[in-house]
Amino acid sequence: RLGLPNWSWLTETNTAVAAACVGPEKCATTFSGPLGMGASFNRSSWRLKGSVLGTETRAFSNLGWHRGNPGDFVTLTGYGPNINILRDPRFGRASELPGEDPVHSGLYAYEMVSGMQERDAAGYPKMLAFLKHYTGYSVEANRGHDNYEVSPHDMWDTYLRQYALAFEAQPMGVMCSYNALNGSPSCANDFILNKVMRGMWKKDALVTTDCGA
């Protein structure tokens, strides 16, 4: 009724801006996988990666461009980096993650988000970053129907530490994970969403669900 265009929240920004090519040799930059970039321990490259993703997200958005389906626009909200912890090599999304150490993953995310949300000449962030998948998401099978009993020590040491470090860069928020933690779905979990994230890191952090959640 207001004549506003569609807004697509889901623009993946983990390894590249998920967008169709604008023309021959006019495509989004595709970086080495996060596992490889994480293994470099090169924080400057992590920030530069974020900066390129931010610039290209803004460019595709300014063009009114899409992800492949002409109605699925690239907008200024991006999902990434993915900083789940690689606890088992059989996890189906190992290639999306920077590593198995929470501090290392948190520093990777801090640098990448800092680059993604760099300010333009007018003082506006180039894009808004959403960390994923918050949290405890280390098993791909049966997602959406799984619950994990996590001890307080493991929660703080393994599943929240990387997000605490990443939020020092003030991302816009998170994509909550499919799974439940200690009997409460991540997307409706008062402890991780309100007491921890909004109570300790960023009081106005936004939360969006994963696809189909």
Side-chain angles (χ1 to χ4, degrees):
R1 293 185 311 222
L2 299 177
L4 297 175
N6 294 333
W7 182 276
S8 174
W9 285 91
L10 184 62
T11 299
E12 296 285 358
T13 50
N14 194 44
T15 302
V17 179
C21 295
V22 176
E25 300 184 13
K26 294 182 179 180
C27 303
T29 302
T30 300
F31 289 85
S32 299
L35 194 58
M37 292 203 69
S40 76
F41 292 89
N42 188 325
R43 294 178 65 167
S44 297
S45 72
W46 302 342
R47 185 172 291 225
L48 285 170
K49 173 186 175 181
S51 179
V52 171
L53 292 176
T55 298
E56 293 186 354
T57 297
R58 176 74 74 89
F60 284 125
S61 178
N62 287 347
L63 288 171
W65 202 239
H66 55 84
R67 297 184 60 194
N69 178 351
D72 194 2
F73 297 106
V74 174
T75 54
L76 297 178
T77 49
Y79 289 129
N82 182 347
I83 51 174
N84 294 125
I85 298 302
L86 182 54
R87 306 204 75 176
D88 188 317
R90 294 170 296 181
F91 178 35
R93 307 182 82 152
S95 64
E96 295 182 29
L97 310 174
E100 60 185 358
D101 181 80
V103 173
H104 176 260
S105 297
L107 294 174
Y108 173 87
Y110 171 85
E111 296 295 347
M112 190 168 155
V113 170
S114 296
M116 293 165 78
Q117 297 190 160
E118 284 176 343
R119 303 274 171 170
D120 63 18
Y124 296 104
K126 292 191 288 189
M127 65 172 294
L128 301 174
F130 286 75
L131 307 171
K132 65 178 190 175
H133 309 83
Y134 186 65
T135 188
Y137 187 41
S138 296
V139 178
E140 183 74 0
N142 198 40
R143 66 185 195 180
H145 305 281
D146 46 350
N147 172 61
Y148 304 111
E149 297 296 328
V150 181
S151 70
H153 174 83
D154 209 17
M155 182 72 79
W156 288 104
D157 201 53
T158 305
Y159 296 114
L160 294 175
R161 180 68 173 131
Q162 69 273 39
Y163 290 96
L165 289 166
F167 263 95
E168 292 180 14
Q170 292 294 285
M172 180 53 60
V174 298
M175 173 198 284
C176 50
S177 56
Y178 284 109
N179 57 277
L181 291 168
N182 300 327
S184 180
S186 294
C187 294
N189 192 304
D190 181 61
F191 175 70
I192 65 170
L193 297 181
N194 294 321
K195 290 184 172 63
V196 177
M197 183 177 66
R198 293 184 176 121
M200 300 176 64
W201 303 334
K202 187 177 182 181
K203 65 181 180 180
D204 60 349
L206 299 180
V207 179
T208 68
T209 63
D210 205 337
C211 301

